Amino acid sequence: EVLTLLVLTYPVLRGLALHLHSAVTGSYIPGTHSIALVNCLNEQIARDIARAIMDKKLAAYVNILPKSSALYFWKGELEESTEILLLVKTRTSKIGELSSYVRSIHPFEIPEIISLPIDQGNPLYLKWIEENVPRD
């Protein structure tokens, strides 16, 4: 029973310890922020989605990368197209809300929304992300 309780509370206790350590030392907690990748059919859709994300304060920064070629399977067939990629910088805690929102406004049936945690980076930039994306 005690072992079960320890196993269940470990993630919470570890998170609290990391936040306390970060507050005391000013160090970055890996994974606090993430980069989400969102594919778009064209530049206008990419700009519209990026603007919508920013308007809802779901990110501090969105890059709109130029057209790239894509190969993928769709409904059993190999497809080839061009796409625009968004790189969305945000708090990791916002990824679920960001993903739901993008799915609700994206024209693709199954849009690509993938996130990667930021392990390290410029502390001032990471602090800037934190200051520009409200907490939950």
Side-chain angles (χ1 to χ4, degrees):
E1 198 171 293
V2 172
L3 182 59
T4 302
L5 182 61
L6 285 173
V7 169
L8 293 175
T9 59
Y10 174 76
V12 173
L13 295 175
R14 182 178 184 277
L16 289 172
L18 285 172
H19 284 313
L20 180 60
H21 179 265
S22 176
V24 170
T25 65
S27 63
Y28 178 68
I29 301 171
T32 302
H33 303 92
S34 289
I35 297 175
L37 293 80
V38 179
N39 66 339
C40 299
L41 181 63
N42 59 47
E43 191 169 338
Q44 186 59 55
I45 290 170
R47 288 189 185 285
D48 290 347
I49 290 173
R51 172 77 54 189
I53 289 168
M54 297 301 290
D55 287 346
K56 289 196 73 80
K57 297 202 179 288
L58 292 173
Y61 196 99
V62 178
N63 292 97
I64 302 173
L65 300 184
K67 194 182 302 187
S68 63
S69 296
L71 294 170
Y72 55 92
F73 287 105
W74 182 247
K75 298 186 178 180
E77 299 293 323
L78 180 61
E79 300 287 336
E80 187 169 349
S81 68
T82 57
E83 298 176 345
I84 307 294
L85 182 64
L86 301 180
L87 297 180
V88 182
K89 283 74 166 220
T90 190
R91 291 177 183 265
T92 300
S93 62
K94 292 288 187 179
I95 292 295
E97 184 180 354
L98 172 73
S99 180
S100 293
Y101 181 64
V102 169
R103 285 193 318 269
S104 76
I105 63 172
H106 203 291
F108 285 179
E109 184 178 336
I110 303 175
E112 173 186 337
I113 308 164
I114 299 171
S115 72
L116 303 168
I118 297 172
D119 186 47
Q120 296 181 25
N122 176 354
L124 295 175
Y125 183 79
L126 299 172
K127 184 173 175 24
W128 174 81
I129 292 173
E130 196 165 302
E131 291 168 352
N132 284 282
V133 180
R135 286 196 180 276
D136 297 327

